[in-house]
Amino acid sequence: MLADPMTGAADLLDLVGERTLLAGHPRAASGPAQGSSTVFQPKELLLELAQVRLAAAGHRPILANPHFMRVAEWSPSLTAIHFSAIELTCPVPIARNVQVLSGTDLLGLAEERRLGEPNGLRRQRTLLMDGLVSVAPPEASEGLLPPGRVVPLDIAPLVAAAPSLPMEGARPVQWHSCDLETGPYNFLRLRQQPKLATTHVRVLVDSIVRGGHRIAVGFATPAVICDLGPVLRAFGAMAGPGRAAMLLVFFFGSPEELATSLAERAHASFFGDNFHCPTVRFLHGPFAAADLLYAVRAATCTVDTCFGGTLARVAEALGIPNRLIVGPDGRFDAWRDSVLGTRGILWDQVFEAETLSARQHKADRGAERALLAALSAML
């Protein structure tokens, strides 16, 4: 695997072979249609960008589900680039396999190690790969995988291909305001079934902008939604007369999955509070890739977690000046006007056993006042 000696990052074009397969989140069918532009997991946004980037360079990538590939299609001339979650990846025999990793994948690897499974399913999958590229900071993967196995992925050329993204796949999405009961003593299950609305992403974004509101955009999955707890509480504190900012959380899952995720770690998200914050809205996937990029471009700031990575890298490549990455203990890295003003995350420790154990319980809220001040300054 080649990496740019100046940046140390791998360009996608360095990974392709004579034939290239792009594999995303596994579906029940054999695979998505070419140009479907439907994103079920954050990393699939990179898959859609990769598809148009390779097409522009003269390649004809194949979109298919490796779980259903015929034996006759296995070939040494085939390079399979996997954008699925590592535990769902199906390496293609004989072919050259490359896995794209995010912070969520590294979190799964670290949890396996913490639970005494050093050779768990995720690690076995990574060892089967011929190459590993990551959107997470390089220092985050140290100790999880053998040295020299992971190379950063160069995002900028992918994002440059965004204007060629197809519009197919755009559809109305379900969304609801943040009005939730997350406490462990809610025996009657009150306010756990939010009132859903349905709108196109672009219509929703445009209506917010026309209303004079600034927008913060965040991505979340069921595995990391609770790590956005400090940001959600900050928006709750910012809500009120004179505040013209809204947080759009693109949640890659159903409303039921959101409720389940919050219930599993109620003490680590809102700390058992009744949470009513109309300036926070949850949007439920799947999403169109072009819609996701439209929302990110419209954002005044973006919010990611140290266990994500995709949004942070895409926002940086798009030149979003205000960006925030939240760590597992409430500390954060913040860029204001494209300048790194706060470096609070200890990246070489975010996947240590002590950090992951503390993540399951109430986090240290000492840094949340600083987080609130940083968001207020950005918005």
Side-chain angles (χ1 to χ4, degrees), residues 88-241:
L88 301 176
T89 293
C90 178
V92 180
I94 303 177
R96 179 172 177 266
N97 291 274
V98 177
Q99 175 72 42
V100 178
L101 297 172
S102 68
T104 306
D105 296 311
L106 299 179
L107 174 62
L109 285 165
E111 286 288 1
E112 284 185 343
R113 182 181 62 181
R114 185 178 73 90
L115 296 174
E117 300 179 7
N119 294 311
L121 174 64
R122 294 174 179 82
R123 183 173 176 83
Q124 292 180 37
R125 294 286 170 83
T126 59
L127 295 178
L128 288 173
M129 294 293 149
D130 299 289
L132 298 170
V133 293
S134 175
V135 298
E139 57 269 33
S141 61
E142 292 181 4
L144 287 175
L145 294 166
R149 285 277 289 153
V150 184
V151 176
L153 178 65
D154 191 356
I155 298 291
L158 294 178
V159 173
S164 300
L165 275 174
M167 290 302 299
E168 292 83 357
R171 63 175 64 82
V173 299
Q174 290 185 316
W175 65 271
H176 59 86
S177 295
C178 186
D179 187 10
L180 302 168
E181 162 60 71
T182 66
Y185 306 112
N186 185 16
F187 303 115
L188 299 180
R189 302 182 63 82
L190 301 176
R191 290 168 59 190
Q192 289 190 349
Q193 301 297 326
K195 183 178 180 181
L196 298 172
T198 303
T199 314
H200 281 275
V201 169
R202 296 186 180 215
V203 173
L204 184 61
V205 170
D206 289 344
S207 66
I208 294 173
V209 173
R210 284 196 303 270
H213 294 277
R214 293 177 290 278
I215 298 177
V217 169
F219 287 3
T221 65
V224 302
I225 180 62
C226 290
D227 296 292
L228 280 179
V231 176
L232 299 173
R233 286 192 294 275
F235 264 82
M238 289 166 57

Side-chain angles (χ1 to χ4, degrees), residues 274-300:
N274 297 330
F275 199 83
H276 175 71
C277 185
T279 59
V280 176
R281 294 180 179 178
F282 292 102
L283 288 73
H284 296 277
F287 306 102
D291 284 349
L292 289 174
L293 289 175
Y294 186 84
V296 174
R297 285 196 179 99
T300 306

Side-chain angles (χ1 to χ4, degrees), residues 7 17 22 27 33 72 85 112 116 136 143 149-150 160 264 288 298 307 309 321 378:
T7 65
L22 301 180
R27 315 290 197 273
E112 284 185 343
R149 285 277 289 153
V150 184
E264 287 175 347
F307 302 120
M378 291 178 182

Side-chain angles (χ1 to χ4, degrees), residues 244-319:
M246 299 199 71
L247 171 63
L248 298 182
V249 179
F250 287 82
F251 183 74
F252 292 80
S254 66
E256 293 75 19
E257 287 176 306
L258 174 63
T260 300
S261 300
L262 293 176
E264 287 175 347
R265 289 177 55 209
H267 50 283
S269 53
F270 304 128
F271 295 96
D273 296 333
N274 297 330
F275 199 83
H276 175 71
C277 185
T279 59
V280 176
R281 294 180 179 178
F282 292 102
L283 288 73
H284 296 277
F287 306 102
D291 284 349
L292 289 174
L293 289 175
Y294 186 84
V296 174
R297 285 196 179 99
T300 306
C301 79
T302 59
V303 179
D304 204 351
T305 74
C306 64
F307 302 120
T310 300
L311 174 59
R313 296 292 306 282
V314 169
E316 179 183 10
L318 285 172

